[in-house]
Amino acid sequence: MADMRGIDLNLLIVLDALLDERSVTRAAARLGYTQPTISGMLVRLRDLFGDPLFVRTQRGVLPTPRAEALASPLKQFLADGRRLIGQDVFDPATAELTFAISTNDYMQHALVVPFIEVLRGEAAKIRLAIKPPIIAGLADALARGDVDLAVTIPDFVMSDLPSRLLYREHYVAAVRPEHPLAKSRTISLESFCSYDHVLVSPTGGSFEGPADEELARIQRRRTVRYSVPSFLLCRSCSRSTI
């Protein structure tokens, strides 16, 4: 087997151009080299393959049988090389792919629905699978290809995974229209803690979340009466709580 380490791959590009153009002058113009440079590289090609490769004629150069035999595998080799080092161009208008996104029902409403509207206009052939939020084992799910993207809160972001902040939100208290606090523009901490609360627990069944951790730091505590797995159910339960 020939030792590839000493081969100048530019020689193969020159050989391909000579096979196509059948002219040293045209090959030089195509590659941006001078004619003497192409002639010098042809000498090196003859040494590499142990064959004259081309014979001069009045109309240019004529490939030898050895050079003719090299033409097809050489083009395949160069095409494979270009694909190896090149970057695929993503065209959303023609792409036919399926993406899976893991996120909760609130972010589905806030982000995914507007995103789908954009997809329908700019990437109509792309399919989108919306999956429930994954908390435990998210890294493994991404590695297996079960999901391609997870939209979650910073508390659940893992430092070893690439991530990007999409937006920031303000903390608000949601109450039913008939609630005593419904007409209040501000809520004191005492009032906030005095009412029953609904907690959305992504992992299921927890009665403590980030808000409770912050309250604990200032030695305060609220009463979480209901723990629900989704924001849709949270809305229903809030009719009897804060």
Side-chain angles (χ1 to χ4, degrees):
M1 181 179 292
D3 188 352
M4 294 281 295
R5 291 175 296 178
I7 296 177
D8 182 356
L9 295 181
N10 288 317
L11 294 176
L12 301 182
I13 297 174
V14 169
L15 176 57
D16 179 61
L18 286 169
L19 285 165
D20 286 346
E21 303 295 341
R22 307 295 174 94
S23 165
V24 172
T25 301
R26 289 194 296 270
R30 168 174 159 177
L31 298 176
Y33 290 139
T34 63
Q35 185 172 336
T37 298
I38 294 294
S39 296
M41 298 178 81
L42 179 54
V43 172
R44 295 169 60 191
L45 281 164
R46 286 167 171 161
D47 291 339
L48 176 63
F49 289 99
D51 187 87
L53 295 178
F54 296 92
V55 294
R56 294 187 180 277
T57 69
Q58 291 183 347
R59 297 184 177 181
V61 292
L62 185 67
T64 66
R66 169 69 166 147
E68 290 278 15
L70 290 170
S72 180
L74 175 61
K75 281 202 175 291
Q76 184 63 51
F77 177 82
L78 293 176
D80 290 342
R82 293 187 184 100
R83 282 193 294 269
L84 180 65
I85 64 177
Q87 294 183 350
D88 293 335
V89 178
F90 176 72
D91 182 4
T94 59
E96 297 186 31
L97 303 170
T98 299
F99 291 101
I101 298 179
S102 166
T103 188
N104 63 36
D105 56 335
Y106 163 66
M107 293 182 186
Q108 290 171 20
H109 176 76
L111 296 177
V112 178
V113 171
F115 179 55
I116 289 176
E117 293 178 359
V118 175
L119 281 182
R120 289 175 62 86
E122 300 183 9
K125 295 183 179 181
I126 288 181
R127 299 194 306 175
L128 197 62
I130 309 302
K131 296 190 175 184
I134 300 174
I135 307 303
L138 176 58
D140 291 338
L142 289 166
R144 291 192 305 268
D146 294 342
V147 293
D148 301 295
L149 176 69
V151 183
T152 184
I153 61 175
D155 304 73
F156 299 139
V157 172
M158 286 164 282
S159 60
D160 57 338
L161 294 178
S163 62
R164 176 178 296 181
L165 180 66
L166 297 179
Y167 65 97
R168 296 183 183 276
E169 286 188 319
H170 298 291
Y171 190 90
V172 299
V175 298
R176 66 183 186 278
E178 301 80 10
H179 195 278
L181 296 176
K183 296 182 180 181
S184 301
R185 301 190 62 180
T186 60
I187 302 175
S188 67
L189 186 58
E190 289 74 14
S191 293
F192 179 81
C193 294
S194 65
Y195 289 94
D196 290 345
H197 290 246
V198 181
L199 173 72
V200 178
S201 173
T203 56
S206 176
F207 285 84
E208 292 186 355
D212 301 282
E213 295 174 1
E214 293 299 321
L215 288 171
R217 289 192 180 99
I218 57 174
Q219 298 182 340
R220 295 296 184 97
R221 184 179 180 86
R222 64 175 177 167
T223 301
V224 176
R225 188 67 60 190
Y226 307 106
S227 175
V228 297
S230 70
F231 285 90
L232 180 61
L233 188 55
C234 176
R235 180 180 179 182
S236 299
C237 291
S238 66
R239 295 174 181 175
S240 58
T241 60
I242 191 171

